[in-house]
Amino acid sequence: MDIRILEGVFDANERIASENEALFRENGVLAMNLMASPGAGKTSLVSRTLEMLSGKVSIGVIEGDIASSVDAEKIKSYGVPVVQINTGGACHLDAAMIREALGHLDLPSLDLLIIENVGNLVCPAEFNLGEGLRVMILSVAEGHDKPLKYPLMFSQSHVLLVNKIDLLGMSDFDVGTLRETVRRMNPAMVIFEVSCRTGEGLPAWAEWLERMVRERKNQQRM
Ligand SMILES: Nc1nc2c(ncn2[C@@H]2O[C@H](COP(=O)(O)OP(=O)(O)OP(=O)(O)O)[C@@H](O)[C@H]2O)c(=O)[nH]1
Ligand SMILES: [Mg+2]
Ligand SMILES: [Zn+2]
């Protein structure tokens, strides 16, 4: 197979991602690409974040899944605008899918757009969606060696949420080792230790995110 075909896919994605990015900027929307393995707690984090920022930040959600609208149904119950993307087999979202979903959202009315990517620790990191913020989750049950095995995701994300810390005592997961490995790969990574079950650590995350949203709004005004 000709390798140029592959380059073509990524070039086209970058072009559409820049268009998405411009749209987010013009509308003062912080777009957050949320990535993690299946079951790490993406939808749980979206739900918790909606609860904590309700009344303070206007939030829209795009739910990316290979199939079903299970997650979108959960998010809809919070009364926020939700668009479901079914990738029809693809294991990641791409910029064109986001562009299409944006047609179903009223961007000027939003401050924050949360995009839950398909559960996958590999290729979502390869496809720029035009987001301003890349957030990843690693849950305690997955093990602290994952940065070494999935380096792209860990080196490209701005924020790492270590989720399910309520399970720390039931596993050999070592937060210190994880932090050390991540620091070496991505010194700028902002790390929060949280539990979407107990709520521990989540207020710090919500405050930080709200600050990022305000900064984006201020940039738009300048
Ligand atoms: N113990 C514990 N369980 C959690 C926590 N966060 C999420 N869970 C559970 O983990 C399971 C998966 O959570 P989801 O939020 O659906 O994970 P997801 O990443 O959205 O999964 P996919 O969309 O399928 O990739 C659910 O049963 C949650 O209740 C946590 O902090 N602690
Ligand atoms: Mg989910
Ligand atoms: Zn993929």
Side-chain angles (χ1 to χ4, degrees):
M1 198 203 277
D2 192 328
I3 193 140
R4 277 176 300 176
I5 293 172
L6 208 60
E7 283 169 357
V9 169
F10 286 116
D11 286 348
N13 190 70
E14 281 303 316
R15 184 174 43 76
I16 300 168
S18 317
E19 292 166 8
N20 291 348
E21 192 184 356
L23 266 180
F24 296 138
R25 268 187 198 289
E26 282 162 25
N27 289 286
V29 175
L30 179 65
M32 167 182 146
N33 185 1
L34 179 59
M35 298 172 282
S37 326
K42 296 178 292 300
T43 308
S44 305
L45 182 81
V46 176
S47 304
R48 288 294 202 155
T49 304
L50 289 172
E51 285 163 13
M52 290 182 295
L53 295 184
S54 159
K56 298 180 185 168
V57 175
S58 168
I59 306 178
V61 179
I62 294 177
E63 282 293 336
D65 282 294
I66 291 174
S68 94
S69 58
V70 173
D71 287 354
E73 295 302 330
K74 282 183 196 157
I75 298 305
K76 249 186 215 154
S77 67
Y78 290 89
V80 298
V82 188
V83 181
Q84 173 79 57
I85 299 174
N86 280 141
T87 63
C91 47
H92 58 266
L93 293 176
D94 65 32
M97 295 175 195
I98 298 304
R99 180 172 63 183
E100 201 185 324
L102 292 181
H104 302 276
L105 287 166
D106 180 33
L107 270 191
S109 70
L110 298 181
D111 305 320
L112 173 66
L113 175 64
I114 303 180
I115 303 166
E116 179 178 342
N117 216 310
V118 178
N120 180 345
L121 212 47
V122 187
C123 48
E126 292 171 13
F127 287 83
N128 184 0
L129 307 179
E131 71 273 10
L133 186 62
R134 281 185 292 281
V135 177
M136 67 166 299
I137 301 176
L138 178 71
S139 65
V140 162
E142 294 168 77
H144 57 237
D145 59 352
K146 293 303 164 287
L148 300 170
K149 303 183 72 176
Y150 305 93
L152 188 65
M153 182 74 74
F154 284 86
S155 55
Q156 292 206 342
S157 295
H158 302 110
V159 180
L160 166 63
L161 289 146
V162 183
N163 188 32
K164 309 196 186 183
I165 56 167
D166 55 293
L167 300 179
L168 275 173
M170 290 168 216
S171 123
D172 62 357
F173 193 100
D174 183 344
V175 182
T177 305
L178 174 82
R179 281 183 172 273
E180 208 179 293
T181 314
V182 172
R183 281 276 167 255
R184 264 185 271 123
M185 295 171 73
N186 181 353
M189 183 88 101
V190 179
I191 303 176
F192 295 96
E193 296 171 28
V194 304
S195 168
C196 289
R197 166 151 290 196
T198 66
E200 192 181 347
L202 286 172
W205 151 250
E207 278 160 31
W208 184 89
L209 182 60
E210 192 182 349
R211 205 163 64 239
M212 292 302 119
V213 170
R214 301 279 163 240
E215 278 179 19
R216 166 51 59 101
K217 283 277 169 212
N218 290 340
Q219 280 167 8
Q220 186 201 20
R221 287 192 197 102
M222 283 193 308

